[in-house]
Amino acid sequence: MITKQPLAEAMPVKRYQASIKAWCMDVLLWSYSFLVLYKLGYQSWWLDLRHVDFFWSEPLYSLLVGGLVASVLSYTKASVGKACYGLIAFDEGRSLFRTASVRLGLLFLLLTFIAGLQISQVSMREFFSDSGLAGAQRIFTALLNPNFAIFEDALFAAVETVYMAFIATALAIPVAFVLAFFAARNLMKNSALSFAIYAVLRFLMNLTRSIEPLVWAIIFSVWVGIGPFSGMLALFLHSVASLTKLYSEQIEAIQDGPVEAMTATGAHPIQVIWYGVVPQVVLPYLSYTIYRWDINVRMATVIGLVGGGGIGTMLMQYQGLARWNDVGMLVIVIAAIVWLMDYASAKIRAHLK
C-alpha cells in the first residue's frame, strides 16, 4: 500500500517550490560530504598531512560537484531533500531503512560523526596513557582532599553567586513580562506597525539570546569592571531575552475564545490582555521563572571564570595557581549549592502544577 504524502496532490506552484527547496538541500548535503571527504579522507588520512590548509576555492568546487549530483538524484528516489519535503511516497509495507534516501541520510550522519571525531581529536590512546592517568590521579587526589580552611570564604562567595542570580532574575521578570506581549505574534498581527514591532523585537531577542552569558560577562567586565555587577548584568540581559521568548510562546498558545469574547464586548486592549490573556499564562510564567533562576545560579558559577564575580572568580584564581585542594573545596560548595537549588526549584514547580 502506498501512502499519500502531503504534497502528492498539491498545487503545481507549491510542488515546484518544494522541489526547489529539496534540490537546494541535496546540494548542501552533497557539497558538505565531498568537502569532508576531500579534507579529512584524502588530505588528512590518505596524504597524512599534519596541518591541512583551507582555501575558499574548495567549497566552491564542492558546491559545483554537489549541484551536479543533486541534479541527477532529483530524478530518482535517492534524493534526501525530496524525502524530507514529502515529494516521495513510501511503501508502508517496506522498512524505511531499505529506501535509498533514508540510507543516504544515515550515511551523511555517519560521515558527520566520523568528521567530528577527527576534528575533536578524540584519542583513547592519550586518554589511557600512563602520563595521562598519572596526572588524573594527582588531580583527583587533591580534589578529594579539600582544604577546609577556605570554607568560610567559599561560602560567602557562594552566597554572592546565589544573590547575583536572584537579582538578575528578579529584574528580568518585569521587563520580559512587558516585552512578551509585543513579541507574541497573535497579539501583534492586526496592523503593519504592530507586526513590524513584533519582527524587530523578535530579532533583537534572538540576537541577544544567541550570545552566551559568558560573552556578555566579558563585555560587561570591561564596561563596569570585574565583579558581581558585571555578572549580574550578563545574566539579566540573557534572562530577559530567554524569558521573553518563553513568555511570548506561551501567549501564542492561549485559547482565543476569551480574547475574542472580550474584544466583541468593546473592552480596551489593556483590559483584554489583563483579563483574557494573563490568567491563562500566569502559572506557566511562574514555572518558567523558577526554572530560569535555577539556570542563572548555574550560569553565575561559570561567568565568574571571566570576571563575573562570585565563587567562579575564586575557582579561576585557585585553578590558575594549581591549588587543587582549594579547588576541591570550591567544587564541593558549588555542587551543594546547585543540588539544593535544583531540589528547591523542583519542589516549587511540582506545587505549581
Side-chain angles (χ1 to χ4, degrees):
M1 178 180 179
I2 304 298
T3 59
K4 292 184 178 180
Q5 297 299 313
L7 293 175
E9 299 179 355
M11 296 176 61
V13 175
K14 291 185 178 180
R15 188 175 180 84
Y16 176 76
Q17 292 175 347
S19 299
I20 295 297
K21 294 178 181 178
W23 181 80
C24 291
M25 183 177 181
D26 283 336
V27 170
L28 293 177
L29 286 175
W30 283 106
S31 301
Y32 161 78
S33 300
F34 281 111
L35 184 60
V36 170
L37 288 174
Y38 175 72
K39 300 298 291 184
L40 298 181
Y42 178 69
Q43 292 186 335
S44 295
W45 296 340
W46 184 262
L47 298 181
D48 197 20
L49 297 178
R50 186 176 182 86
H51 299 287
V52 178
D53 296 325
F54 177 81
F55 302 97
W56 283 107
S57 58
E58 294 169 346
L60 294 178
Y61 287 131
S62 298
L63 279 174
L64 179 61
V65 176
L68 294 175
V69 175
S71 299
V72 174
L73 292 181
S74 62
Y75 296 98
T76 69
K77 291 187 177 182
S79 170
V80 178
K82 291 176 67 175
C84 292
Y85 282 94
L87 295 172
I88 298 178
F90 293 101
D91 189 349
E92 287 186 348
R94 186 182 182 186
S95 174
L96 288 178
F97 295 102
R98 299 181 62 183
T99 58
S101 58
V102 173
R103 288 181 176 180
L104 283 176
L106 294 175
L107 183 62
F108 291 138
L109 290 177
L110 178 62
L111 182 63
T112 301
F113 181 77
I114 296 174
L117 292 177
Q118 177 70 16
I119 295 175
S120 301
Q121 299 181 5
V122 176
S123 175
M124 300 307 294
R125 179 184 301 176
E126 294 182 6
F127 188 82
F128 290 106
S129 64
D130 293 336
S131 59
L133 292 176
Q137 181 182 3
R138 183 171 62 254
I139 292 176
F140 280 107
T141 300
L143 291 177
L144 296 176
N145 290 276
N147 181 15
F148 287 93
I150 67 165
F151 175 76
E152 185 176 344
D153 294 335
L155 188 60
F156 281 114
V159 171
E160 182 181 89
T161 300
V162 173
Y163 273 96
M164 180 172 63
F166 173 75
I167 292 299
T169 309
L171 294 179
I173 291 172
V175 179
F177 180 83
V178 175
L179 293 179
F181 296 103
F182 296 97
R185 187 183 184 92
N186 58 335
L187 299 182
M188 301 293 289
K189 62 181 181 180
N190 296 326
S191 66
L193 177 60
S194 61
F195 187 80
I197 295 174
Y198 157 81
V200 171
L201 184 59
R202 276 280 186 166
F203 172 77
L204 292 176
M205 292 298 103
N206 289 335
L207 179 63
T208 303
R209 195 176 67 256
S210 65
I211 302 175
E212 288 295 320
L214 194 68
V215 179
W216 285 120
I218 296 174
I219 295 174
F220 284 119
S221 64
V222 177
W223 189 341
V224 301
I226 295 176
F229 184 40
S230 62
M232 189 278 295
L233 289 174
L235 292 175
F236 163 76
L237 195 61
H238 200 267
S239 296
V240 168
S242 298
L243 287 177
T244 300
K245 178 181 183 296
L246 293 174
Y247 290 173
S248 61
E249 289 180 349
Q250 189 62 40
I251 293 174
E252 292 174 349
I254 63 172
Q255 297 180 358
D256 296 330
V259 176
E260 293 176 353
M262 295 187 64
T263 304
T265 60
H268 192 273
I270 297 180
Q271 292 177 317
V272 173
I273 291 175
W274 188 254
Y275 294 104
V277 177
V278 173
Q280 298 188 59
V281 300
V282 62
L283 287 180
Y285 272 26
L286 291 174
S287 180
Y288 289 144
T289 302
I290 295 170
Y291 183 62
R292 185 63 205 182
W293 183 35
D294 188 22
I295 293 176
N296 282 344
V297 172
R298 302 167 189 266
M299 284 288 187
T301 302
V302 178
I303 63 175
L305 299 176
V306 294
I311 198 170
T313 301
M314 289 185 64
L315 185 64
M316 177 189 64
Q317 294 171 351
Y318 290 143
Q319 183 270 335
L321 296 172
R323 296 168 56 176
W324 301 114
N325 299 94
D326 296 339
V327 172
M329 185 71 257
L330 295 177
V331 169
I332 293 175
V333 173
I334 291 172
I337 293 297
V338 170
W339 180 82
L340 288 174
M341 292 302 305
D342 183 71
Y343 178 80
S345 62
K347 286 294 184 180
I348 294 175
R349 287 197 302 269
H351 285 293
L352 290 176
K353 293 181 179 180

